[in-house]
Amino acid sequence: MGETSGNPYDINGPHFNPDMYLQRMLKECSLKQIMDNEAEIVRNTQILHSDMQTLVYENYNKFISATDTIRKMKSDFKEMEESMDLLSTNMDSITSFSEQISSTLQGTRQHIARLSSVHALLKKLQFLFKLPSNLKDKMKEGNYAQAVQDYIHAQRVLNQYGNMPSFQGIQKDCEEIVEELKADLRTQFHKRDASTKSLAQSVDLLLQLKEPPDSLCAEFLMHADNRLAEQLDTLKNMGENDIIEFVDMASSGYLNDLCLVVASYNDMFVNRAPLDDSEFSDDFDTKAIARLNAFILGNMKKYFELVGKRVEDVADTAILVRALDRFHRRLQAMNMLCSETDFARIGTDIVISAGRKQCRNHLHSLKQHLGESLAGVRQTLATTVATNVDSGLAEHLSSLVVPTIEKLKGVLQDLLVFLQPDLSFSLKPRFQQIFCVDEVREGLIIGFLHHLTAIASGFCTGSDIPKFPPTLLLLLSKMCLEFKDGSVRYLLATTDELFNIEQHSSSVNVITTESEMCENFEKAAQSLLNHYVRLQGLSVSQMLKKSVETRDWLHTIEPRTVRAVMKRVVEDISAVESQVASLYDDGDGQMDRSSDSSRKTHSVSVSRHHYRSNWSSYTPSHLDSSLVTNIHKLFSERIEIFSSVQFNKASILTGIIKISLKTFLECVRLRTFSKFGLQQIQVDTHYLQLYLWRFVTDENLVHFLLDEILGSAVHRCLEPVLMEPSVVDIICESNK
């Protein structure tokens, strides 16, 4: 602005210099531009001149109008002055007339005042005499407010003159009518469709009629409680309705009515302005608030119990979560009703309880699925055992493990809807700690894994005569190993990732570690495998025991063949080998079983020749040599018959063969043999040696036990003469 105002070239500025402007135009502009500029300046000058003329004309017109107005005001002021003079004259006349009237009425003024007071008293008396009929008419019309106002207006007079005989009848009639009025007002509490405004009006009128506030509070809450109880009964009868519809009905009906009752109660008894100091006191306010809080807590407790039972019967988790979200959101607003209790926390507890119920339902479903799967596999195994059909244990193992893992994953996905971020309760730390950690991980996943190990271990109890195929034990032991080696880690890692277990867990939560669960599965697998070996060993042992006990060994003919039971033993152990091989490997460091059996046969033959040379001339005088042999056995390595087996095929078969041969040995020790009976035992043990060595981890163990059996038979023989090893070889070879 400073530069513009001080510019000598600005034609509109105060510092304009025409000479400088002209010199600049001559230097910088062409002739045409100068002429155009001149024409524009001329045109602007003409416009300004026209505007100035217009302004002069307008101002001249305004000056003429102002002159006319002043001339007119002079004439109007003259007329007003005349009117004021006339008004002053009239006022003087009125004053004189007023003085004359006052002097004339001075004597009758007191008489008029007395008449006026008498007239007012007569009107009051007329109102009192007509009061009973007026009260009845107002009651019939339903105009209770006006009836109360009329009674209160006349009550002072009745209380003051009630001892007079003429007023006693009126007072008695009015009191009777007022009692009816009170009864009519109290009936408003009983009406189910009574509005909050009508209830408040009824209570206000009863308080004006000096009804005790304590009794009104109690009666108001009692009838409100009855109405709410009827709504609860209606909600209870909605058991077949959808859970979302149930929650909506409860929120829009029961909770809304409860809020209206509380708001009305506060307006009528707690927050209202007292009519006088005697009706409402601080002590009454304390009692009224305590009575209201008890009413709220009692009804909310009934509501929570009803909702808690209702949400337990919902199968669809997604629908349940939507209903719980609406339920929980509504409760957050209910905290304003009673500051002493956190209803949102109680609602969270109900949500947690519903989630716990869902976890329990899923756990029951998983247990049922596991039981059905085991029953199906058990029935299939029993059928294949009875028909000698290949059982396909690997397929059965897959049918047990894979569907179980998939079902667990499906359960986790189903429960994951409880953690949707838009839910009102999903971000509560208490809900996350209890639901995610205690219920889902520990209660459901860990609980099911514990149930699985318990079911597996349960097959190891009972009598030695199982009600299920022993192959089921072998299958379950491998299943436990599958869970121990990978499934447990996968399930716990999946659960921890989906439900943020590390973030939600706290010092309050007890977390079961992966190593603890793997240890449990390993123990269960070991128990199952040991029990399987024991049952299979006892099965073979029963055949051997029966074959020894039912034979007359003192009258046996010279052996020409291997007994059929020995062939059956080899066949059963071969069948067991095929079953075990479908699930367990041979194990690391096992010896090569493809070597020629002639070397084994030769060693056995030498061993049998050793017994023959020692016992061919058996007499009682040779007891000392027998004693030396027994002493030597005391210092030899002891064989654990029922020791735990390892998780490989050779160890399992070794355990079965140890039990079988040990039973065979004990049965031989309890019998007495003739020469041919001893030779039959010699043939049987040699036949077993030909086939059993390839099943065990250490063939020397089979050698030792078979030598023990033959040695015991020699000790129990009346004529201990062994058969030539070559003859034994021929007999065994012919029975292959």
Side-chain angles (χ1 to χ4, degrees), residues 259-270:
C259 293
L260 289 175
V261 169
V262 173
S264 301
Y265 184 91
N266 287 328
D267 293 339
M268 289 184 291
F269 301 107
V270 179

Side-chain angles (χ1 to χ4, degrees), residues 30-282:
S30 61
L31 179 61
K32 185 178 184 303
Q33 291 176 341
I34 294 173
M35 293 178 68
D36 292 340
N37 193 10
E38 180 187 8
E40 183 180 358
I41 292 173
V42 171
R43 186 169 54 254
N44 291 336
T45 303
Q46 291 175 353
I47 293 172
L48 290 174
H49 182 70
S50 176
D51 291 341
M52 289 294 294
Q53 288 181 348
T54 302
L55 289 174
V56 170
Y57 291 150
E58 289 179 354
N59 290 332
Y60 181 72
N61 291 331
K62 291 179 181 178
F63 176 75
I64 294 174
S65 298
T67 303
D68 294 339
T69 302
I70 292 171
R71 187 181 298 109
K72 186 177 181 180
M73 287 176 63
K74 287 182 179 181
S75 61
D76 291 340
F77 272 116
K78 290 181 180 180
E79 294 178 358
M80 290 177 64
E81 186 176 0
E82 294 176 357
S83 298
M84 291 299 294
D85 292 339
L86 180 60
L87 179 62
S88 176
T89 304
N90 292 334
M91 289 297 295
D92 292 338
S93 301
I94 292 172
T95 302
S96 62
F97 279 119
S98 176
E99 290 176 354
Q100 294 177 4
I101 292 172
S102 296
S103 60
T104 303
L105 297 176
Q106 184 68 31
T108 60
R109 181 177 296 170
Q110 296 180 353
H111 181 65
I112 293 173
R114 287 196 300 270
L115 291 177
S116 177
S117 62
V118 171
H119 180 266
L121 180 60
L122 290 175
K123 289 182 66 176
K124 292 181 180 180
L125 291 175
Q126 184 180 10
F127 175 78
L128 288 177
F129 286 123
K130 292 183 177 181
L131 180 61
S133 61
N134 289 335
L135 291 178
K136 290 183 178 180
D137 293 339
K138 296 293 189 301
M139 288 179 59
K140 291 179 180 180
E141 296 173 358
N143 191 359
Y144 298 114
Q146 187 61 45
V148 171
Q149 292 299 323
D150 291 346
Y151 175 74
I152 293 174
H153 181 67
Q155 191 174 17
R156 296 177 183 177
V157 178
L158 292 175
N159 292 336
Q160 183 177 0
Y161 300 103
N163 55 349
M164 298 178 63
S166 58
F167 293 101
Q168 289 180 353
I170 297 175
Q171 185 176 14
K172 182 179 179 181
D173 293 340
C174 289
E175 289 177 353
E176 292 177 355
I177 295 172
V178 168
E179 290 299 325
E180 294 180 6
L181 177 60
K182 292 179 181 180
D184 290 345
L185 291 174
R186 290 179 184 273
T187 56
Q188 298 293 324
F189 295 156
H190 299 271
K191 295 181 179 180
R192 297 183 57 185
D193 56 346
S195 62
T196 304
K197 182 178 180 180
S198 63
L199 290 175
Q201 184 180 8
S202 299
V203 171
D204 182 69
L205 295 177
L206 287 171
L207 290 174
Q208 292 183 35
L209 294 174
K210 306 301 181 182
E211 284 294 290
D214 287 335
S215 63
L216 290 179
C217 291
E219 189 171 358
F220 176 79
L221 292 180
M222 180 184 68
H223 293 294
D225 192 49
N226 293 334
R227 290 196 299 272
L228 292 174
E230 293 177 359
Q231 293 194 22
L232 278 181
D233 293 337
T234 303
L235 291 175
K236 289 178 181 179
N237 297 327
M238 295 179 60
E240 298 180 356
N241 293 58
D242 184 76
I243 182 63
I244 296 180
E245 181 182 356
F246 171 82
V247 172
D248 290 341
M249 287 289 293
S251 298
S252 61
Y254 184 84
L255 293 183
N256 283 350
D257 285 354
L258 179 60
C259 293
L260 289 175
V261 169
V262 173
S264 301
Y265 184 91
N266 287 328
D267 293 339
M268 289 184 291
F269 301 107
V270 179
N271 299 327
R272 67 169 293 156
L275 298 178
D276 54 52
D277 296 336
S278 61
E279 288 192 23
F280 297 96
S281 61
D282 294 337

Side-chain angles (χ1 to χ4, degrees), residues 288-305:
I289 294 173
R291 186 182 287 112
L292 178 61
N293 290 337
F295 170 79
I296 296 172
L297 293 178
N299 283 277
M300 288 302 295
K301 181 180 179 181
K302 297 176 183 178
Y303 174 70
F304 286 139
E305 290 176 353

